[in-house]
Amino acid sequence: MTVDFVHAQNPRPDNWWKSSVVYQIYPRSFADSNGDGVGDIPGITSKVDYLAQLGVDVVWLSPVYSSPQDDNGYDISDYTDIDQTFGTLEHLDTLIAALHERGMKIVMDLVVNHTSDEHAWFQESRQKDSPKRDWYWWRPARAGHQPGTDGAEPTNWEAAFSGSTWQYDEQSGEYYLHLFSRKQPDLNWENPEVRAAIYEMMNWWVDRGVDGFRMDVINLISKPRELVDGPEIPGRKYSPSFHAVANGPRLHEFLNEMYREVLAGKNLITVGEMPGATVELARLVTDPARRELNMVFTFEHVSLDQVQGGAKWDLQHLPLPVLKDNLNAWQMGLAEVGWNSLYWNNHDQPRAVSRFGDDSAPHRINSAKTLGTVLHMHKGTPYVYQGEEIGMTNASFTTIEHYQDLESVNHYYEAVSLGQQAEDLLLSLAVKSRDNARTPMQWDDTHQAGFTQGIPWLTVNPNYVAINAAAAMADSDSVFAHYQKLIKLRRHHPVVVDGWYRLLLPEHEQIFAFTRTLDSAMLLVVANFSSEPAEVPAGSLPDIDGAELLLATHAPAPGPLRPWESQIHLLRAAQ
Ligand code: TEU
C-alpha cells in the first residue's frame, strides 16, 4: 500500500519537535464547512491562516478516520479512509499541503489499542475458526458460570466508560475484552500479525505526508500475561482496569519494534498518551537512546484534583504547592534524559481557565494568560488545545440532556441507578465532563459563534458573544495576543527551549515562581496563581534590577502581585 504524494518542502531537522508548539484540533468541534452542525476537514483548512497567525508549528488532529462515532472517532472502523462526517482523503491531502505550505506540520491520532467493533478485522475475528480470531482478546465465561450471566465475565475489570470490560458475543459463545466502550474491542498486540498490520498502516500515513503520531493509550497495548481479577473495591462492582492492565511486560519491546518498523530515520514527532504512567516510566520511554517515543502525556497533574484512589468525579481541592510539586517532579525527572510534553487541557479534560484558573469575569483573561505563561515557560513541548488561546471556558451545562459524551452519560445513569443524587452528579459533570472541552470553537459573535450555519452537534457556549477568536485577534491585549508572544519567545530565546528548570517558593500557596538557566541567560517567571493579591516574600526571588521584562499581564507596579499577575524577566542576556 504505497502512495505517491509530493508535498511542499517540509523539512524535519533533528529534534525540531523540542522547539515546537503543538495545537490540538478536535475536528467535530472546530469548524463546520457544510452546515451539518459537525466540524469537518474543509472547515479546518479554511482556518490554517488563523493557526499560522497564532504561530503554532504543529497541528495534532484528533481522529477523522472511518468510524461509527460511538466515542467520537476513537473507535475506528477503517484506518486508511476518512469518515464521511469529516470529508474525504482528498480533503485531508489538501489540509496536509496547506499546513506544509505554511511551514506547519500535522500529527495524526493513532488509536491502536483498540478498533471499532465495526472494523472488518473484528467482524472476521468473531468467527471462532477465523485466522483473525487471535487478533482480539477472546475468553470463555468464568469457570462455573453460565456464559452471558451476571458474574460470568472472565475478570472483574471495570471499563473506562462504565460496566465490565468484557462483552459476551452470542455468535461465538465467548467474551471479548474492551477497556473502553463495548464498541471498542482491544486488539491483541501479542499477535505479530496485528503489529505488522499496524506498522503497515502507519507507514502508509507517513508516505501520505504526516509528520508524526499522538498515540492513544499506548501503554495499554501490552497486557499482563495472565488476565486475572483486580483488587476488590468496597462499594464498587468492578475493579478499575487501568491499574490491572497498564504498562504490561512487553510495552518497551513493542515500542522499540514500532520504532524500527516505522519511526527510525524520519524525524517524526511522537507522543504517547499514557494513563497511569510515572515519571520513571516516561524516562524510559522518552530516552532517545532507547528508540521508543519522543514524549508522553502524563495524567498525574490532571488527577490531583480528584480523591486519590477515587474516580475522576470524586472532586477535591488542589492546593498550589501540590500542583507545583508534581510539575517539578516531572521537570526534574526528565531534566537530563528524555523530554516533557506540557499541557493543561485537551479533548478529554475540562477547560484550563475553568479548572486551574478563574473563569469569572474579573479574572478570566489574566488567569488564562498566566496559565499560558507558566506552562510555556516550563521545559518541554507545549500543547495548546483549541480555544485555550482565547480563554474558552467550561460549558456550564445544567441538565444531563445537554451532555453527549458516552463517558459522562454512562456514568450519570449508572450512578443514578446506584442511588446517587442527580444534582450531585450534575455538579461533578459540570466540573469534569469531557464535553466541557468539546463545545464548538467560538470564531465570532455571529450565529452559532461562526462554527456552523446549521444546528451544532453540541450546544455552543452562550458566552461566545464576548469570547471569540475574531474579538481576540482584534485586541492586542487578548489571550490570543499573549499566546502569540509566548510562542515567539520560544523562537527567539534558546533558554526557553533548553534552559534548566528550578522551582522557587515551593510551599507558597499563591505564587508560582521558577527560573530557567542556559549558559549566561536566566529567565525568572513569577506568577500569582490566585484571585487575591499575593505578597512576594522579601529577598525570596533573584534580583530583577537591570532585567528585561519580556512579557507581563499587567504594567509593573510596586506592592503585591495583583490577582493572576505574571511576569517573565530575562535576568542576564546570552553572551
Ligand atoms: O483517552 C484515554 C483515557 O484515559 C481517557 O479516556 C481518560 O481516562 C478519560 O477520558 C478521563 O475522563 C483516550 C482518548 O483521548 C479518549 O478521547 C478516548 O475516549 C479513549 O482514549 C479511548 O480511545
Side-chain angles (χ1 to χ4, degrees), residues 53-96:
Q53 192 167 339
L54 177 59
V56 297
D57 304 284
V58 185
V59 167
W60 155 23
L61 189 58
S62 278
V64 290
Y65 317 97
S66 300
S67 163
Q69 300 297 319
D70 182 59
D71 186 16
N72 292 351
Y74 282 90
D75 50 316
I76 296 168
S77 55
D78 185 341
Y79 285 106
T80 55
D81 201 1
I82 301 302
D83 195 78
Q84 59 185 5
T85 310
F86 301 117
T88 64
L89 271 171
E90 289 64 37
H91 288 144
L92 186 63
D93 292 337
T94 301
L95 173 60
I96 294 172

Side-chain angles (χ1 to χ4, degrees), residues 285-529:
V285 171
T286 65
D287 178 351
R290 293 171 52 90
R291 295 182 174 78
E292 293 182 21
L293 304 179
N294 300 147
M295 292 171 266
V296 305
F297 283 138
T298 164
F299 277 65
E300 287 191 354
H301 66 304
V302 292
S303 304
L304 296 171
D305 57 359
Q306 73 187 59
V307 173
Q308 295 313 302
K312 63 182 278 186
W313 314 105
D314 307 324
L315 310 177
Q316 73 173 6
H317 169 63
L318 171 56
L320 180 61
V322 174
L323 176 63
K324 292 190 287 188
D325 179 58
N326 183 263
L327 295 176
N328 183 56
W330 282 79
Q331 289 288 304
M332 294 300 100
L334 301 182
E336 300 185 30
V337 175
W339 193 254
N340 271 295
S341 70
L342 306 171
Y343 76 96
W344 288 128
N345 50 188
N346 55 42
H347 64 291
D348 290 336
Q349 300 294 335
R351 287 272 175 196
V353 72
S354 300
R355 181 183 201 175
F356 296 107
D358 179 339
D359 61 11
S360 65
H363 301 303
R364 180 184 64 82
I365 289 175
N366 283 325
S367 73
K369 288 179 179 179
T370 288
L371 284 169
T373 282
V374 165
L375 190 80
H376 283 244
M377 291 301 111
H378 270 69
K379 187 176 184 182
T381 297
Y383 288 73
V384 179
Y385 178 61
Q386 68 181 46
E388 173 189 338
E389 78 280 8
I390 61 172
M392 279 178 63
T393 68
N394 277 355
S396 309
F397 291 156
T398 55
T399 69
I400 190 58
E401 288 71 27
H402 276 110
Y403 290 94
Q404 296 282 333
D405 177 24
L406 79 169
E407 180 192 53
S408 298
V409 173
N410 291 355
H411 165 66
Y412 176 89
Y413 286 109
E414 180 182 66
V416 165
S417 72
L418 296 173
Q420 288 193 37
Q421 296 305 308
E423 54 270 23
D424 295 341
L425 289 162
L426 288 170
L427 280 178
S428 69
L429 285 181
V431 173
K432 296 298 281 300
S433 170
R434 303 192 300 180
D435 277 333
N436 280 308
R438 301 175 179 184
T439 58
M441 180 71 186
Q442 295 164 198
W443 291 107
D444 56 39
D445 62 2
T446 66
H447 172 76
Q448 301 295 2
F451 164 71
T452 179
Q453 290 306 311
I455 307 298
W457 72 280
L458 187 65
T459 308
V460 171
N461 193 317
N463 65 20
Y464 79 89
V465 177
I467 303 173
N468 62 71
M473 292 169 78
D475 175 0
S476 62
D477 196 29
S478 64
V479 180
F480 180 89
H482 193 85
Y483 268 66
Q484 283 179 308
K485 292 167 189 163
L486 286 171
I487 294 168
K488 285 195 176 83
L489 286 180
R490 179 168 297 272
R491 293 233 165 79
H492 297 145
H493 296 275
V495 63
V496 175
V497 176
D498 294 311
W500 295 98
Y501 177 93
R502 187 163 73 89
L503 179 64
L504 308 175
L505 297 173
E507 297 310 319
H508 203 287
E509 296 279 347
Q510 291 176 282
I511 293 175
F512 203 140
F514 55 90
T515 59
R516 300 285 308 280
T517 305
L518 182 68
D519 305 329
S520 63
M522 176 183 273
L523 287 184
L524 168 65
V525 178
V526 55
N528 176 0
F529 236 68

